[in-house]
Amino acid sequence: MDPRAAIAQTLRSSTHTLIVCHVGPDGDCLGAGLALGWALRSLGGLATVASADGVPTSLRFLPGAADVVTDLPPGWAPDVAVTVECSGLDRAGRLEAAVRRARVIVAIDHHADLQPYAHLVDWDRSAAAVGEQVADLILRLGVSIDRTIAVCLLTALVTDTGAFRYANTTPRALRLAADLIERGASVHGIVREVYEQQSASALRLLGHALTSLTLHHDGAVAVAVITPGMLAASGARPEEASGLAALLRTVTGVRLAMSLEDAGGMIRVSLRSRDGVRADRVARALGGGGHPAAAGAEVPGTLEDVMRRALDLAAHELRAAMPDEPSSP
Ligand code: AMP
Ligand code: MN
């Protein structure tokens, strides 16, 4: 049986399914996770969507976002646990223990690497978003996609394709998007909720961070930092600078962009690349992971040390990259 059919069968007989997003959740993992939760409930099952870091403000419009839990009762064991985009179980944050207690663990992912922690795995690196995989899973469950599910899945696609601008904007992604629009979801509405409801303090933080922009390796690498001082001066929360690395990548000649946020002893590195430069390899060498063109890591150390290490790794990846190789996000 193919893995997705086996997963559908397991989910159909699950008494209570726990759906777990990764720490620092994005629109893809939350949209896909919530969509699956709605589908399972429509079949009469119990489903809980959990995210150790809750739901970022820009994604609170998602149907079901208010019911996403950040903690679970101590010792509680779900029948089936589904991890969404967790390359390792540590990516579930403090929800890891509950996932481990499940009778069956299912992993759904489209990242470059996935550790073998699950009993059943739906791993498709060609998917633009895990939302694509979950859309197919929902059809296999025999659930018809209504407007609620369509909004969740289209949000997954919109956020992981940069609103259909990145190299992963495939015919498959656009066909699914068209279908979801016919079912009542709106790209315009989602783009407005996700990208056009920013706080003034978020833009001020971006302004502070952009003044730190430096170019390295003959202009191929752009770096900007977010310091505690910038957060205090702007009044923004760190998550509000999430678009910074993608913005840095737009500079002419830049092939790898990185933002480094000083979270006090821990540096959050966010990487975006193009032209075949492997951001995921830089991230993995720093202890993180991700996609070829969008990756991240949390690295203990000082801003200066982590930047130096990241720039060394960047130099290596620039040399290794094939020119003219298109990257997907
Ligand atoms: P971000 O820059 O936080 O938007 O992350 C870009 C991509 O890298 C996302 O797909 C994340 O899931 C992945 N990622 C970020 N941080 C980590 C990490 N510490 N370990 C593994 N993957 C990560
Ligand atoms: Mn994704």
Side-chain angles (χ1 to χ4, degrees):
M1 197 186 295
D2 93 282
R4 207 168 284 158
I7 291 170
Q9 197 174 66
T10 298
L11 289 176
R12 230 181 272 118
S13 62
S14 168
T15 53
H16 194 151
T17 305
L18 172 68
I19 300 163
V20 175
C21 297
H22 59 72
V23 288
D26 58 15
D28 185 24
C29 76
L30 277 165
L34 286 165
L36 183 59
W38 287 114
L40 294 175
R41 281 189 294 270
S42 82
L43 289 171
L46 286 171
T48 300
V49 181
S51 158
D53 289 339
V55 180
T57 316
S58 65
L59 294 167
R60 296 213 179 125
F61 73 95
L62 281 169
D67 299 320
V68 172
V69 301
T70 54
D71 291 282
L72 293 159
W76 179 65
D79 187 22
V80 178
V82 180
T83 63
V84 187
E85 301 198 285
C86 295
S87 47
L89 266 184
D90 57 318
R91 294 283 290 154
R94 67 176 172 282
L95 304 170
E96 174 175 349
V99 175
R100 283 189 189 283
R101 283 192 290 268
R103 182 178 58 85
V104 183
I105 301 175
V106 175
I108 305 178
D109 202 358
H110 68 139
H111 284 80
D113 42 15
L114 177 62
Q115 291 163 28
Y117 61 83
H119 303 103
L120 294 169
V121 174
D122 180 345
W123 186 23
D124 181 358
R125 278 171 289 185
S126 74
V130 281
E132 273 184 14
Q133 295 158 263
V134 168
D136 188 52
L137 178 60
I138 288 173
L139 294 180
R140 286 166 187 250
L141 284 166
V143 174
S144 110
I145 293 177
D146 61 6
R147 185 179 173 278
T148 299
I149 294 177
V151 169
C152 295
L153 292 177
L154 190 57
T155 300
L157 278 175
V158 165
T159 52
D160 259 28
T161 59
F164 304 111
R165 287 177 304 138
Y166 300 155
N168 61 344
T169 308
T170 58
R172 172 177 159 195
L174 288 172
R175 283 198 184 94
L176 174 60
D179 188 40
L180 298 171
I181 293 167
E182 280 174 349
R183 288 167 190 275
S186 149
V187 171
H188 165 75
I190 290 166
V191 164
R192 188 174 173 136
E193 291 285 359
V194 175
Y195 301 111
E196 299 176 1
Q197 303 283 352
Q198 299 207 70
S199 66
S201 50
L203 285 191
R204 283 190 202 104
L205 173 61
L206 213 49
H208 286 292
L210 286 175
T211 59
S212 77
L213 165 58
T214 50
L215 293 176
H216 308 260
H217 304 327
D218 298 324
V221 177
V223 182
V225 299
I226 297 167
T227 63
M230 292 176 185
L231 289 168
S234 62
R237 296 183 307 277
E239 70 184 54
E240 293 187 287
S242 62
L244 178 58
L247 200 56
L248 299 173
R249 181 176 56 179
T250 64
V251 174
T252 303
V254 167
R255 299 166 71 207
L256 179 71
M258 51 177 122
S259 66
L260 294 98
E261 180 209 331
D262 183 353
M266 177 71 85
I267 309 300
R268 271 195 210 107
V269 183
S270 182
L271 298 150
R272 297 292 184 272
S273 65
R274 54 183 172 185
D275 304 335
V277 177
R278 294 287 300 268
D280 59 323
R281 286 199 200 141
V282 176
R284 211 172 311 136
L286 293 169
H291 303 280
E298 274 140 34
V299 195
T302 65
L303 212 43
E304 293 70 26
D305 285 345
V306 175
M307 197 189 300
R308 198 173 319 111
R309 279 178 63 197
L311 282 172
D312 285 348
L313 292 163
H316 183 78
E317 286 310 321
L318 287 171
R319 282 193 297 272
M322 308 286 267
D324 302 317
E325 188 183 310
S327 15
S328 61

